[in-house]
Amino acid sequence: MSEPIHVNIIGRNEIVREGLKRILADQDFYVDCAVSCVDDLDTKNGSSVVIVDVNDIDEGLCVCADVRERCPTSRIVIMTDGYSMEDVSRAFATGDVDGYLVKEISCDPLAGALRLTALGEKVLPSQIASSLASGPASAMSRCWDTGASGTNLSAREVDILRCLVDGEPNKVISRRLNIADATVKVHIKAILRKLRVRNRTQAAIWAVSRGLAADAPADPNPLPALRPSLPVPGALPPQRAPDMQLARAS
């Protein structure tokens, strides 16, 4: 059996803190502390995951920045009542956030998401997967000219960005667009620079938040369906509305 993952919990709501503490203990996590502010954070044991429970995203990002300064090697997961594409994008763009979860997540997916985060994966709300699958009208109605204004992305970079949203690896992008792997890498570096993001995940979130998830370039040689590269534990059925509840865990 693997060693338990050490977790710290920060949040103003004592009931939420204690609920998370008990849930994680039942899931074989070791909770070092559950506190209301960063100043009370236990940094002696070097917890591998820090959960930041927030109601206000701006305040939450400030807390995450403080946690990052105190615990530079910890993985930070922000947990909120709800989400928006813009908030998720902002959170990951700071470089301080490694996971973003909503509080309606149930116990087992929560544990799985935290384990993925501890291993270095980026974890997003499962509702984003449903949004990509169903293509919400609010996102699809936005035009590319508005979403990409000021980025100076070329037409080819736009095509590759949309492939990144689909979670496609370089080899698949290369085949889909009929260009060399090395060319794909060059374009991706240019995309990251122009969007001022650090990695493919942040670039994909940037695109989704601006309604650019639809109309990926057609593949003349379609491949079998691929699993998304972004971990999205506990995905909800597409028809279910992403209303947020604290009912089960988180």
Side-chain angles (χ1 to χ4, degrees):
M1 184 176 178
S2 60
E3 295 184 1
I5 297 172
H6 286 254
V7 177
N8 278 338
I9 301 169
I10 304 175
R12 291 187 177 183
N13 190 309
E14 182 177 1
I15 295 176
V16 174
R17 295 199 310 268
E18 290 303 312
L20 282 172
K21 185 175 179 180
R22 295 183 183 183
I23 290 167
L24 295 179
D26 290 342
Q27 295 283 342
D28 298 322
F29 289 83
Y30 190 92
V31 180
D32 294 323
C33 68
V35 297
S36 61
C37 65
V38 179
D39 292 336
D40 297 329
L41 192 65
D42 180 6
T43 59
K44 295 180 181 178
N45 293 323
S47 293
S48 55
V49 178
V50 179
I51 301 174
V52 179
D53 170 52
V54 301
N55 293 321
D56 179 79
I57 186 63
D58 292 318
E59 179 183 355
L61 293 181
C62 290
V63 174
C64 290
D66 288 343
V67 173
R68 179 63 69 203
E69 183 176 353
R70 294 167 183 256
C71 310
T73 61
S74 294
R75 311 294 293 179
I76 302 173
V77 176
I78 192 168
M79 185 172 285
T80 66
D81 292 314
Y83 84 100
S84 69
M85 296 295 190
E86 180 181 358
D87 288 344
V88 175
S89 179
R90 287 175 56 206
F92 281 98
T94 64
D96 297 322
V97 175
D98 302 294
Y100 193 115
L101 299 174
V102 293
K103 296 180 184 178
E104 72 165 8
I105 190 171
S106 56
C107 299
D108 290 341
L110 170 63
L114 295 180
R115 290 190 178 98
L116 284 172
T117 305
L119 291 172
E121 297 286 352
K122 300 291 185 182
V123 181
L124 312 179
S126 61
Q127 291 85 352
I128 288 182
S130 298
S131 297
L132 292 176
S134 59
S138 60
M140 299 307 148
S141 63
R142 301 175 191 173
C143 68
W144 165 249
D145 291 337
T146 299
S149 60
T151 64
N152 295 320
L153 291 176
S154 68
R156 179 62 78 193
E157 288 164 355
V158 171
D159 289 341
I160 291 176
L161 179 57
R162 287 170 175 166
C163 290
L164 295 182
V165 170
D166 289 339
E168 295 177 346
N170 288 1
K171 289 184 178 180
V172 176
I173 298 174
S174 173
R175 175 177 172 178
R176 183 181 294 278
L177 301 179
N178 195 26
I179 57 178
D181 287 357
T183 303
V184 174
K185 292 179 182 179
V186 170
H187 282 307
I188 290 177
K189 287 183 179 180
I191 290 170
L192 300 184
R193 184 183 70 254
K194 291 178 180 181
L195 299 186
R196 298 181 181 180
V197 296
R198 299 185 181 186
N199 52 50
R200 302 161 70 103
T201 299
Q202 292 181 6
I205 295 171
W206 184 97
V208 171
S209 70
R210 286 157 178 79
L212 307 179
D215 302 328
D219 185 0
N221 301 299
L223 297 173
L226 299 174
R227 295 179 62 186
S229 62
L230 309 183
V232 282
L236 299 174
Q239 68 272 17
R240 180 174 174 182
D243 52 328
M244 308 303 167
Q245 313 172 35
L246 179 59
R248 293 182 294 279
S250 33

